[in-house]
Amino acid sequence: MFYGQEQFLVNQDLTFNKKNLKSFERRLTEVISSLQPATLRWRYFFSVLLCFVSMCTAIGAWYWLTDPNTSAVPFTQSLWNHPFFTLASFLLVILFMVGIHRRVIAPSIITQRVRNVLGDFNMSCDDTGKLILKPTRPPHLHES
């Protein structure tokens, strides 16, 4: 192979790699931006719901703890005597078991996982999905 021909193949390969990176970046940006509106809706809905349920739990806990019969009766009977607190606490636990916290931060979970994978290739991405190319590090003295 001649030097000029070899250089042409290297340039052609670099052009192909740049196209692949641009395609990957466009797709990643598209996925993250498509999650943003849903995340905002979930944030608003769940923040209102979570505030309401938390306030109900706190108010119910206050009445439950200040009730003089709480220490005199068994635990289950005490919960049965305070259905407002019991229901609010149960609903709060269910919300977290369903994954209320994951729906609110879904884009950041995806970008963090992508950053972990891209780290192996000396790349990263910002919160919108744009790729960040990091300079290659020189090999360590003990690596060979």
Side-chain angles (χ1 to χ4, degrees), residues 27-101:
R27 181 66 180 135
L28 183 60
T29 305
E30 179 184 315
V31 167
I32 291 173
S33 65
S34 71
L35 289 174
Q36 293 296 339
T39 302
L40 289 175
R41 274 194 307 268
W42 282 113
R43 270 190 193 146
Y44 177 72
F45 175 72
F46 280 137
S47 63
V48 169
L49 182 65
L50 195 58
C51 284
F52 178 73
V53 172
S54 297
M55 289 300 293
C56 289
T57 304
I59 293 168
W62 173 256
Y63 284 118
W64 182 55
L65 292 173
T66 56
D67 184 13
N69 292 336
T70 300
S71 60
V73 296
F75 177 70
T76 52
Q77 182 62 41
S78 175
L79 289 177
W80 188 256
N81 291 343
H82 299 277
F84 184 71
F85 169 70
T86 306
L87 252 113
S89 300
F90 183 71
L91 187 58
L92 193 61
V93 169
I94 293 296
L95 284 175
F96 280 105
M97 286 177 63
V98 168
I100 183 175
H101 54 290

Side-chain angles (χ1 to χ4, degrees), residues 15 18 30 43 47 58 60 85 90 95 119-120 130 136 140 144:
T15 305
K18 285 181 185 178
E30 179 184 315
R43 270 190 193 146
S47 63
F85 169 70
F90 183 71
L95 284 175
D120 295 338
K130 298 286 184 194
T136 57
H140 195 271
S144 292

